Amino acid sequence: MAKYLSKLSKSTRSNLYTVTAILAAYIIFTVLIATGNMSNLLQGLLIQIFYYAILAISLNLTVGILGELSLGHAGFMCIGAFTSAFFSKCTVDIITITWIRFTIALIIGAISAAIFGAFIGFVVLRLRGDYLAIVTLAFGEIIKNVINVLYIGIDQSGFKFSVKDSVSLNLGEGGQAIMNGPQGIFGTPNDTNLTICVFLLILFYIIISNLVNSRSGRAIMAIRDNRIAAESIGINITKFKLLAFTISAAMAGVAGTLFSHNITILDSKKFGYNQSIMILVFVVLGGIGNIRGSIIAAAILTLLPEYLRFLENYRMLIYAVVLIIIMIINWNPTCIAWRKKYSIRNLLSAINKKKEA
Amino acid sequence: MSFISYLIKGISLGSVYAIIALGYTMVYGIAKMLNFAHGDVIMVGGYILFTVMTSLGQSPILAVLASIVFCTLLGITIERIAYKPLRKASSLAVLITAIGVSYLLQNLALIIYGTETKFVTSVIPIPTIKLAGGNLAIPGQTLVTIPVCIVIMVSLTVFIRKSKTGRGMIAVSEDKGAAVLMGVNINKTIAITFAIGSALAAVASVLMFSSYPSLTPTSGAMPGIKAFVAAVFGGIGSIPGAMIGGILLGIIEILGRAYISSQLADAIVFLILILVLLIKPAGILGRKMNEKV
């Protein structure tokens, strides 16, 4: 086994370890749930951890690999969540086999978010740095605001739209308002389960880590490191930026689908700027460009506020303080030097040297 | 007539955005960081006003002074504790720290004052003026807000152009290394920038809560984002740009709310921002930097 492992390339081996770790976690969780050793609270959180992990790795593709700060990631999640929930709500009586319906919903969520991602990418990718950040923020807020006033209903004559209220939909006999403006979509079938979340996380992890090591991924990273140099060796900047941006949006759409099929009331307020920022916090804390780190950070930061619940009102205060302290420990030059000096590796080698002497 | 009164209302709101945006743009120009906690300093200013006037029953002038002094000290403290250790770190790390500070301020306010909405008594005791036979109403706050905004803008420009500290700020914003060699104390300059920015945020909070009195721990967040948009709109790093951006933003928001849809007003603001940036990628007054290899 060890011999076989050492034959693999370094990146494949590292991917294998991560996938094994996720699978092991999944098996442990399933066993714990089956034997009744896991609280309901934690069970609910598990699915959350997985779709936040998907969001984090997809944003890491934009922020870490492509090197563009995006503050509107929740917007793509919002698109995926609403289109897929809309689909499931319409077809819940037509397609009765859950897994077929949910698979189609996932694909719809991914494609619709990808279309928006490609469109927004096409518009914003000529901007750079903080300007790009503010425009992604703006797009995220626009998506949220527009969905907030959108009413869609269905009756015999087909779909009806309105931006005023549900009465002006003029629904006929037996008609049903599916999207209710600020109230959003109510009662989306609860199709999300742990298995599909784990499967998708592993799938996306493999896609992203393979992309990074592929020709396209190298091109994307070349653009991040030096745009002008990359252009001068014939890399098509727009194409690769758009590629990364679209893939990232599609994955966010899938995460949105998982999200919308896990809660009862889906309204657009859940996809504000704060949500985008929270995903960004996962990415930065996990390490910019480090896919595995994003997953770990998403898990820890989803659990942390819940485990701090006994602190009541002080919970988010502690969270904020922890966030600031982690950032300073991680990035302050003095702290970095201190960490290097007292790292386990250094201490071990010092002990070894003593023994040799 | 209603158009003109909307326009005046828009300029008034825009002036508040402009004052906040000035703080954003100065900090960005000099420290090269997006201070996402800036909006929450406004909220803190509002709570100080509320405490001094309503809880302690002191005079409005004292409340305004207390608010400005407290916010200035707060700005310096935040910079010293949270941002200074990260001066050489990547801008994303500083951004996340700023978000952490923002959460911290919001939750401190939540613990001290609770979630329920507080109402700030207006500091500006001028009644609404009616012109053109009562058709055109100008709120008293507007009469104060716009001149205050102009005074701040002019004095800030004079300060930066003429004073030694101000020139030091320009030097630091253009080239930190060269500024150090010329004997500019970078730490002091950045601290002063934060102090001025936070004092401006306090002034903005006085003006804003006089017109829109409801106050919750998150009431600084949206004005903060809008001001950030205004700063980018006008060209981030440029002082007249922040002014123009802020006022345009205020006018667009109020007119959009009045004539198109009150729920879509924010979306319209952001849409116009995108259009402006597509035509002028560095904002209205922003300078385009040429990259060199």
Side-chain angles (χ1 to χ4, degrees), chain A residues 63 69 71 122-124 126-128 130-135 137-139 141-149 151 163-164 182 226-229 273-274 277-278 280-282 284-285 288 313-321 323-324 327-333, chain B residues 28 34 36 81-97 99-101 103-105 107-108 110-111 221-222 225 228-229 231-233 235-236 261 263-264 266-268 270-271 273-274 277-283 286 288-289 291-293:
Chain A
V63 177
L69 177 58
L71 295 176
F122 189 73
V123 176
V124 305
R126 49 173 289 194
L127 301 169
R128 273 195 287 282
D130 299 314
Y131 289 93
L132 189 128
I134 186 77
V135 170
L137 191 158
F139 266 115
E141 290 294 307
I142 291 176
I143 292 172
K144 187 187 93 175
N145 276 307
V146 168
I147 286 184
N148 200 34
V149 295
Y151 293 84
V163 289
K164 262 170 71 190
N226 194 328
R227 192 182 53 85
I228 295 171
Y273 146 85
N274 280 330
I277 291 292
M278 202 177 82
L280 186 66
V281 170
F282 297 155
V284 177
L285 270 188
I288 298 158
N313 281 334
Y314 293 89
R315 175 169 77 106
M316 289 311 285
L317 191 74
I318 304 285
Y319 180 85
V321 173
L323 192 61
I324 297 171
M327 290 322 287
I328 291 178
I329 291 177
N330 240 344
W331 293 92
N332 183 286
Chain B
Y28 182 84
L34 293 173
F36 265 100
I81 294 174
Y83 303 152
K84 200 180 162 202
L86 296 174
R87 197 139 299 157
K88 291 199 178 76
S90 80
S91 61
L92 254 180
V94 190
L95 181 82
I96 301 293
T97 314
I99 290 163
V101 173
Y103 284 165
L104 182 71
L105 293 179
N107 285 292
L108 271 179
L110 190 73
I111 288 168
M222 209 54 202
I225 294 176
F228 174 34
V229 170
V232 174
F233 208 62
I236 198 157
S261 158
Q263 286 162 307
L264 285 178
D266 287 351
I268 294 164
F270 288 121
L271 190 68
L273 167 86
I274 293 169
L277 285 185
L278 287 181
I279 298 161
K280 278 192 74 83
K288 198 166 180 264
M289 296 282 199
E291 278 176 77
K292 289 177 194 146
V293 182

Side-chain angles (χ1 to χ4, degrees), chain A residues 247-273:
Chain A
I247 294 176
S248 164
M251 290 179 178
V254 169
T257 309
L258 295 173
F259 178 79
S260 65
H261 289 73
N262 190 39
I263 52 170
T264 340
I265 305 168
L266 177 71
D267 65 71
S268 60
K269 278 179 216 73
K270 296 191 172 80
F271 303 98
Y273 146 85

